[in-house]
Amino acid sequence: MDHSTVRVSVPAEPSVDAAVPGIVLIFSGDQPRCAPIPLDRGSVVLGRGGVAGVPLMDDSLMSRRHARIAYDGGAWTVEDLGSTNGTSVNGELIRSEVRREAIQVVGAGTSVFLALPDIRSFSRGGVRVEKETVIGPRLQQTYDTIVRAAAAGDSLLVTGESGTGKELAARAYHEAGPQARGPFVAVNCAAIPEGLAERLLFGARRGAYSGATHDTEGYVQAAHGGTLFLDEVAELDAAVQAKLLRTIDTRQVLELGAVAPRPVQIRICAATHDLRARVAQGRFRDDLYYRIGRPEVRLLPLRERLEEIPWVLAQCARAVGAATRCAPPAIHHSMIIACALRRWPGNLREFVGEARRAVTRALDEGRRTVEAKDLDPLAGVGLAPDAREAQRPPSSPHLRAARGGSAPPEDPIAEALRLERGNVSRAATRLGVHRNRVRRWLEKNNVNRAHFAGGGDLSDSE
């Protein structure tokens, strides 16, 4: 399978600020693509010979004049031009013409297109695959900022939803900096057992506490000469935050039980979902935020980087094929469309796991093509607010007493617990976090996890 990057130049924009509406070809035949196509005259016709000069890859299901896509600045119009095999908009076949304010994907033949009000970010080129990491044009903009930050300073804050690839971004920051040859030490602050953060981060001297029979170095010392990545940094308690700030400012670390600090040279990359909100709530020190909170880069969720989906699917197909000693199966265009239409609240972490399961399912059934039917019905769906309310089991008297009759707050942890029917371990796996974080959420919100079980068995929740 040829996964070479396709680069199509976007004409110069009328002005720096003017958006360039267009479509992006992300899949054709059985191959991932990334070809931006501007709507120079407000519309474009899809056909077997290509689209606005962009060739299609052996799309035998595409008619000579298949469909027309237009955008007038306020809404999209998709018209099927009497094609043999039909045109789909967001997975639904259209009979003639539809007009909508927003459209995610258009399917024509075996080709799949994104419809975007602005495709300028795609002018830099196509999707890149570096060290098994898929980097689309929109993500590349963020990585460019990371590289500049690595050259300009010794700290970076990475924000974004769970599963968006914050550790990969932190590694990119490390590798682009002057201490790239040094160690990269990743710490999941949310997984540190309560009361052990100071010891694990800063180390301890012999006799500092009961059972301390020898000197031990902490994560800070282990990162000397390199980068310390603090994932979920907002989970650190206030005392540890204060000591971390002093370590960063003085470039010295005071081990637990020591009387004199030791010099340390580290770069800090921190990550969390929204650190500013924690500061505003008084749950994170503002002085530490000012030290590690700039510059900040936000990783887009997968639903805003749909051009990466075909490439990741192809990677998953190759990985499963290699593990099972089979040739990697082909990806059907229906699978691309199905994946592009889902929310993926767990983002890339969730998507990779579900994609591999879909590939395995197809191979187990003796098929050489992965189709939409191989994707689990609940994969990447999450729940919309109204669906959450409809699927929420009746509140028990115990829960009403615990929370004064109110329902648990709506956030990703609550959503994951509902999907996993109160199973803490599976909810944590879905979110890509340690189960201690889910337990702390339950305690903080005074919620009994039985609320999410709907009468099911909770014995396997650990």
Side-chain angles (χ1 to χ4, degrees):
M1 185 180 293
D2 179 14
H3 294 288
S4 59
T5 298
V6 177
R7 290 181 169 84
V8 177
S9 298
V10 175
E13 300 89 26
S15 71
V16 174
D17 298 324
V20 178
I23 60 176
V24 179
L25 174 66
I26 64 170
F27 191 80
S28 182
D30 63 351
Q31 297 188 30
R33 303 285 300 279
C34 187
I37 304 167
L39 303 184
D40 290 333
R41 299 180 180 178
S43 68
V44 67
V45 173
L46 314 182
R48 184 183 303 162
V51 182
V54 176
L56 302 180
M57 305 297 289
D58 189 26
D59 193 341
S60 59
L61 299 183
M62 178 83 76
S63 298
R64 187 178 64 82
R65 281 177 54 84
H66 197 106
R68 182 179 68 91
I69 302 177
Y71 183 68
D72 61 10
W76 293 87
T77 300
V78 180
E79 178 186 6
D80 183 82
L81 301 177
S83 67
T84 302
N85 296 295
T87 303
S88 68
V89 173
N90 291 349
E92 299 179 5
L93 282 175
I94 62 173
R95 297 188 179 278
S96 55
E97 178 180 298
V98 298
R99 179 177 171 83
R100 298 180 184 175
E101 290 185 6
I103 289 175
Q104 287 176 271
V105 288
V106 175
T110 64
S111 300
V112 181
F113 302 84
L114 304 180
L116 301 172
D118 191 0
I119 61 171
R120 284 177 296 170
S121 60
F122 289 82
S123 63
R124 66 178 60 245
V127 173
R128 289 174 18 201
V129 180
E130 299 178 355
K131 297 180 180 179
E132 300 302 313
T133 300
V134 174
I135 306 175
R138 287 184 277 191
L139 183 59
Q140 182 59 48
Q141 289 184 311
T142 304
Y143 270 61
D144 289 347
T145 302
I146 290 172
V147 171
R148 290 193 295 269
D154 59 4
S155 67
L156 176 71
L157 176 64
V158 181
T159 60
E161 297 177 8
S162 176
T164 49
K166 291 191 280 290
E167 182 168 344
L168 293 175
R171 287 187 180 275
Y173 170 75
H174 169 70
E175 292 171 1
Q179 298 182 181
R181 293 183 179 272
F184 176 85
V185 178
V187 181
N188 185 348
C189 299
I192 296 177
E194 189 174 353
L196 296 183
E198 182 178 3
R199 183 196 314 175
L200 293 176
L201 278 172
F202 307 108
R205 292 291 182 87
R206 177 181 177 183
Y209 56 89
S210 176
T213 58
H214 57 278
D215 294 348
T216 57
E217 72 173 13
Y219 297 128
V220 170
Q221 293 94 322
H224 176 66
T227 302
L228 178 65
F229 173 51
L230 298 173
D231 196 11
E232 302 297 348
V233 68
E235 298 296 324
L236 294 176
D237 63 43
V240 176
Q241 291 176 31
K243 191 165 184 175
L244 177 61
L245 175 62
R246 182 162 182 79
T247 298
I248 296 172
D249 283 343
T250 64
R251 299 184 184 276
Q252 294 180 324
V253 58
L254 184 64
E255 298 153 326
L256 195 64
V259 295
R262 293 169 51 188
V264 67
Q265 184 67 38
I266 57 173
R267 295 164 70 84
I268 298 288
C269 183
T272 190
H273 180 52
D274 189 348
L275 197 55
R276 278 190 255 188
R278 292 292 190 108
V279 174
Q281 295 164 2
R283 297 166 61 187
F284 195 84
R285 293 179 64 103
D286 55 359
D287 48 3
L288 179 57
Y289 170 75
Y290 297 141
R291 185 64 180 82
I292 68 173
R294 288 289 185 272
E296 175 183 342
V297 295
R298 174 181 173 266
L299 297 181
L300 295 174
L302 184 60
R303 59 184 172 275
E304 296 180 32
R305 296 155 40 190
L306 296 179
E307 65 275 6
E308 297 176 13
I309 281 180
W311 301 80
V312 178
L313 276 171
Q315 277 190 330
C316 292
R318 291 195 297 272
V320 173
T324 57
R325 298 184 179 181
C326 297
I331 307 296
H332 194 267
H333 59 277
S334 66
M335 180 66 170
I336 304 294
I337 293 174
C339 290
L341 291 174
R342 303 201 182 189
R343 295 180 58 246
W344 300 109
N347 291 290
L348 194 62
R349 183 184 293 114
E350 178 190 11
F351 178 67
V352 168
E354 296 293 349
R356 289 184 177 181
R357 278 187 279 274
V359 172
T360 301
R361 184 175 295 115
L363 291 177
D364 285 347
E365 294 179 3
R367 290 182 285 109
R368 302 302 308 160
T369 302
V370 185
E371 304 175 31
K373 66 181 181 181
D374 295 311
L375 193 62
D376 190 286
L378 294 179
V381 175
L383 292 176
D386 54 346
R388 292 181 196 143
E389 190 65 33
Q391 296 190 22
R392 181 179 297 149
S395 184
S396 67
H398 174 77
L399 179 68
R400 286 194 296 269
R403 291 190 48 84
S406 61
E410 298 294 347
D411 71 5
I413 294 181
E415 181 173 294
L417 283 166
R418 290 193 184 97
L419 289 173
E420 300 298 346
R421 301 182 67 79
N423 187 298
V424 172
S425 293
R426 290 203 302 266
T429 299
R430 176 179 284 272
L431 292 166
V433 302
H434 194 275
R435 60 179 178 269
N436 285 345
R437 186 176 179 191
V438 180
R439 293 195 192 103
R440 284 196 293 269
W441 182 92
L442 290 166
E443 293 172 0
K444 181 186 72 175
N445 292 288
N446 197 20
V447 174
N448 188 325
R449 60 190 176 87
H451 171 80
F452 304 102
D457 181 16
L458 290 171
S459 61
D460 63 342
S461 63
E462 299 304 319

